[in-house]
Amino acid sequence: MALKLAVLVSGGGSNLQSIIDKSEAGVLDARVVLVLSNKPGAGGLERARRHGLPHAVVDHTEFPAREAFDAAMVARIRESGADLVVLAGFMRMLTPAFLDAFAGRIVNIHPALLPSFPGCHGQRDAADYGVKLAGCTVHFVDEIMDHGQVIIQAAVPVVPGEGGDTLGARILELEHRIYPQAIQWLAEGRVRVQGRHVLVADAGRLLAELGRPALVNPPLERGF
Ligand code: GRF
């Protein structure tokens, strides 16, 4: 049976779109049962509407405290029957009560190679720092921002002189591929957590077939 997803968005929702597309294409064995936003005008809600998916707003500005806001979200998500909470550009920190309600069942995508560059501007911070490799991370969510166990990461070489915006756009393309993939692994029950480590059953086989892949930037020249 398809994994039921509650996708939480605050903005445009391009990651939500990638999940919807893969689900509609039958590649991802998961179904969006709720799109929930803390912002009434979030683009992600429009995407839900267009695809005829259940959607709702719990506006954080209408709540006196974080706890009350989170309680309202928990109630709405429980009602939807979701198995997994998918944060896709959701810009609020979650309280312990929310984390407890869906323990081990909350994932997030971050536009940097964690633990480098946590926070709201991962792409820009990476570009400003001058790293040669940047990327994105899908991880479980715990009480510390951008800190839970890593499920999958993807890296891109940073082009000389490139700023956060263009780098961010290239990272976003990869986000749209790795997030549905991570959710598919969860849907297939192939993900096991051991302390800080996430083991994906059978995923190592492909890596072995690839030999010793490495992304080096600037690229190594002949003889090295
Ligand atoms: C993405 O860069 C994601 O990594 C970050 O917020 C952004 C959301 O973009 N957490 P979108 O709303 O999915 O287009």
Side-chain angles (χ1 to χ4, degrees), residues 121-142:
H121 309 288
Q123 316 92 320
R124 200 182 66 198
D125 294 345
D128 290 351
Y129 190 91
V131 293
K132 301 299 187 200
L133 300 175
C136 45
T137 304
V138 177
H139 63 93
F140 285 105
V141 173
D142 65 13

Side-chain angles (χ1 to χ4, degrees), residues 11-16 88-91 108-111 123 172 175-176:
S14 70
N15 276 289
L16 164 69
F90 185 69
M91 304 307 277
N108 181 43
I109 187 149
H110 180 74
Q123 316 92 320
L172 192 60
E175 293 184 34
H176 297 159

Side-chain angles (χ1 to χ4, degrees), residues 71-217:
M73 286 204 301
V74 167
R76 197 66 196 72
I77 295 167
R78 282 209 170 116
E79 226 174 85
S80 75
D83 305 305
L84 184 71
V85 177
V86 177
L87 308 184
F90 185 69
M91 304 307 277
R92 308 287 304 171
M93 279 301 286
L94 301 169
T95 59
F98 187 105
L99 298 172
D100 284 352
F102 307 107
R105 296 190 292 136
I106 311 173
V107 290
N108 181 43
I109 187 149
H110 180 74
L113 293 172
L114 292 173
S116 293
F117 311 115
C120 291
H121 309 288
Q123 316 92 320
R124 200 182 66 198
D125 294 345
D128 290 351
Y129 190 91
V131 293
K132 301 299 187 200
L133 300 175
C136 45
T137 304
V138 177
H139 63 93
F140 285 105
V141 173
D142 65 13
E143 65 285 356
I144 302 171
M145 182 165 64
D146 301 328
H147 173 266
Q149 299 98 333
V150 172
I151 302 171
I152 183 172
Q153 292 185 306
V156 291
V158 179
V159 176
E162 167 173 63
D165 288 350
T166 49
L167 176 61
R170 288 192 300 116
I171 291 173
L172 192 60
E173 280 179 33
L174 274 178
E175 293 184 34
H176 297 159
R177 298 173 67 187
I178 67 169
Y179 215 0
Q181 169 70 86
I183 295 167
Q184 177 61 17
W185 285 332
L186 288 158
E188 291 173 356
R190 288 167 60 189
V191 175
R192 205 154 42 87
V193 179
Q194 275 180 359
R196 279 291 316 168
H197 296 261
V198 175
L199 306 174
V200 180
D202 258 355
R205 191 174 41 82
L206 281 177
L207 191 63
E209 279 168 17
L210 288 171
R212 293 160 57 205
L215 179 56
V216 183
N217 182 41

Side-chain angles (χ1 to χ4, degrees), residues 11-90:
S14 70
N15 276 289
L16 164 69
Q17 188 68 52
S18 73
I19 292 164
I20 295 172
D21 292 346
K22 286 281 188 290
S23 161
E24 286 185 352
V27 181
L28 173 59
D29 189 20
R31 189 159 57 84
V32 177
V33 294
L34 175 65
V35 173
L36 186 58
S37 181
N38 63 313
K39 294 210 169 160
L45 292 167
E46 181 50 36
R47 294 181 194 269
R49 227 171 268 132
R50 230 181 291 144
H51 288 266
L53 297 170
H55 52 279
V57 176
V58 178
D59 185 343
H60 67 276
T61 63
E62 289 174 3
F63 293 83
R66 235 171 239 285
E67 286 69 23
F69 167 64
D70 274 16
M73 286 204 301
V74 167
R76 197 66 196 72
I77 295 167
R78 282 209 170 116
E79 226 174 85
S80 75
D83 305 305
L84 184 71
V85 177
V86 177
L87 308 184
F90 185 69

